[in-house]
Amino acid sequence: MNFPIFICSVLLLLFKLIKSDDKSTSDCGCSSTSRSKLESGRNNMGPEDTLRPSGPVGHDQTDDGNYHGRTNQMVVIEGSTFTMGTDKPFLVADGEGPAREVTVDTFWLDVHEVSNAEFKIFVDATGYVTEAEKFGNSFVLEAFISDKVKEKIDQAVAAAPWWLPVNKTDWRHPYGPDTSIDDIMDHPVVHVSWNDAVAYCTWASKRLPTEAEWEMACRSGKRERLFPWGNNEMPRGEHRMNIWHGAFPGANTADDGFIKTASVTSYPAQTKHGVKNMVGNVWEWVSDWWKVRHSRESLQNPQGPPSGTDKVKKGGSYMCIKEHCYRYRCAARSQNTPDSSASNLGFRCAANSLPDYLAKSSSPEEQIPIASREEL
């Protein structure tokens, strides 16, 4: 054996492992949007870091021309055995590996992420107050906050100073108290914590999907593929998802049509089941507690650890870019505390069977669960 070549190979391998485990070079800071990770004092983004869209901006209209049509439909995901995780992790520290055989029973999954319009129906019916509203603030990317609002902010996320806690920011005011959802009712609801998502799903006679269910649906029957449709991020030069384009965190060129969130009906379906926006757009809560050590043991309907500190989220968001947050892949994963909320964090629901009100409904008015404030 050529000893110098052997030493060089070992050093190269160690370098790759360190780089893949170094979140400072591959992290948009989304897992740091916890109220316990704030630091006082911050440096404002300079003029060169202001948001500079140079491509087409997104529209609010749905595929069929309807702005606020119901989007709470579900599709059945047939049970099967699939390979969860990967033996070629891009972010080792996230627990993407190893690849292991997992069997999941048949379940139902929302076609779309829960929209502002759907969440408003829930709030109007129950009087529910989100945790961001109770805390009085939530996290927003600095580039999306008006100068007037930024003047009053003196804290930032220590590990990701582009994330700022903004007072009076919640699902109705996604980018600060001077913004609203009036023109984006068909976009995914954001600033919802894991606890908020559970409350909505319970009201809707649904639940959050497990990480295994979510990943099986995302993989869409394909093996060892990065995205639901394959390995090509832009097949035939077409955008399939809403992610960041340009220099993060200052400039999003909006090449895919959107600077921030996109309508939950945007883009062609990503999976063979017709599910939309599983990767990109907004992070999606799943039910599992977070852990990063997994065995290769075959599992049946895994539920994750019995307890923990953080909850798992999947799918990446419109803030993800390969150089900073390559987590818009089926095997990718991240985490936040259950009370965390941010302007790129939403969810979709699952169910063991199709809820009766959806199975029997013939009109949008009949697609509303019967639940009272006392039942929550």
Side-chain angles (χ1 to χ4, degrees):
M1 177 184 293
N2 189 314
F3 189 71
I5 293 178
F6 172 74
I7 292 297
C8 289
S9 299
V10 171
L11 290 175
L12 179 61
L13 177 61
L14 287 173
F15 175 76
K16 288 181 177 180
L17 288 173
I18 291 171
K19 290 292 286 182
S20 66
D21 197 39
D22 181 8
K23 290 194 174 184
S24 67
T25 61
S26 58
D27 198 345
C28 65
C30 294
S31 61
S32 300
T33 51
S34 169
R35 292 173 177 83
S36 63
K37 297 180 180 180
L38 293 172
E39 66 176 2
S40 298
R42 65 182 184 87
N43 294 318
N44 290 325
M45 295 168 66
E48 71 279 6
D49 291 321
T50 56
L51 194 68
R52 299 187 300 272
S54 59
V57 296
H59 57 77
D60 298 318
Q61 193 171 2
T62 59
D63 294 345
D64 60 0
N66 189 347
Y67 279 81
H68 306 311
R70 297 305 303 276
T71 55
N72 61 345
Q73 301 86 3
M74 305 188 84
V75 290
V76 65
I77 311 294
E78 296 292 342
S80 68
T81 299
F82 77 107
T83 301
M84 185 174 179
T86 177
D87 285 330
K88 299 177 181 179
F90 283 88
L91 297 164
V92 176
D94 285 355
E96 294 181 1
R100 60 261 189 207
E101 188 177 90
V102 171
T103 300
V104 172
D105 292 342
T106 297
F107 68 102
W108 290 76
L109 186 68
D110 282 353
V111 173
H112 308 99
E113 295 160 328
V114 175
S115 69
N116 286 314
E118 294 295 337
F119 198 77
K120 184 178 184 299
I121 293 172
F122 159 62
V123 171
D124 289 347
T126 64
Y128 185 82
V129 179
T130 63
E131 292 199 287
E133 292 171 288
K134 294 175 182 177
F135 280 114
N137 62 29
S138 192
F139 291 92
V140 183
L141 183 69
E142 181 173 0
F144 298 147
I145 307 170
S146 69
D147 290 339
K148 183 178 180 180
V149 172
K150 274 193 285 189
E151 290 175 354
K152 302 176 182 178
I153 302 173
D154 60 0
Q155 289 183 306
V157 175
W162 47 84
W163 276 112
L164 302 183
V166 185
N167 289 337
K168 298 181 180 179
T169 295
D170 50 56
W171 72 276
R172 292 187 181 91
H173 310 93
Y175 305 105
D178 53 353
T179 64
S180 78
I181 57 173
D182 292 348
D183 296 327
I184 54 171
M185 292 300 290
D186 59 336
H187 286 220
V189 64
V190 293
H191 298 293
V192 283
S193 68
W194 185 89
N195 297 313
D196 298 331
V198 169
Y200 173 94
C201 291
T202 301
W203 167 80
S205 299
K206 302 178 182 180
R207 58 174 173 79
L208 285 177
T210 65
E211 183 176 8
E213 288 174 334
W214 192 100
E215 189 166 328
M216 186 179 78
C218 183
R219 290 188 177 277
S220 195
K222 294 180 172 60
R223 292 178 60 87
E224 298 182 6
R225 295 294 182 267
L226 298 174
F227 313 114
W229 55 86
N231 284 331
N232 190 343
E233 191 168 303
M234 291 181 58
R236 296 181 296 277
E238 299 174 353
H239 290 285
R240 296 287 184 92
M241 56 186 161
N242 179 18
I243 56 175
W244 193 276
H245 296 271
F248 182 85
N252 187 351
T253 61
D255 289 352
D256 55 20
F258 299 91
I259 297 174
K260 305 171 188 172
T261 57
S263 165
V264 298
T265 64
S266 294
Y267 303 106
Q270 293 180 343
T271 78
K272 66 179 182 180
H273 306 99
V275 180
K276 293 202 167 194
N277 292 296
M278 288 209 77
V279 291
N281 214 19
V282 294
W283 282 102
E284 299 181 13
W285 289 113
V286 295
S287 62
D288 302 42
W289 288 106
W290 172 261
K291 72 172 183 177
V292 295
R293 296 184 181 277
H294 311 281
S295 72
R296 292 187 181 275
E297 179 185 0
S298 298
L299 297 173
Q300 176 98 20
N301 297 314
Q303 306 292 311
S307 62
T309 302
D310 293 347
K311 287 290 186 176
V312 179
K313 59 183 183 180
K314 297 281 285 185
S317 80
Y318 65 88
M319 285 177 54
C320 285
I321 184 171
K322 187 173 183 178
E323 292 77 11
H324 287 279
C325 182
Y326 195 30
R327 292 184 175 91
Y328 48 92
R329 297 169 288 111
C330 292
R333 56 205 301 270
S334 189
Q335 87 285 358
N336 279 110
T337 56
D339 62 354
S340 295
S341 61
S343 56
N344 68 340
L345 182 51
F347 68 103
R348 78 177 70 224
C349 302
N352 293 340
S353 59
L354 186 65
D356 289 343
Y357 67 90
L358 287 177
K360 299 176 181 177
S361 66
S362 59
S363 68
E365 291 74 20
E366 293 176 325
Q367 295 178 20
I368 301 175
I370 300 174
S372 65
R373 298 169 188 261
E374 290 74 20
E375 291 176 304
L376 288 173

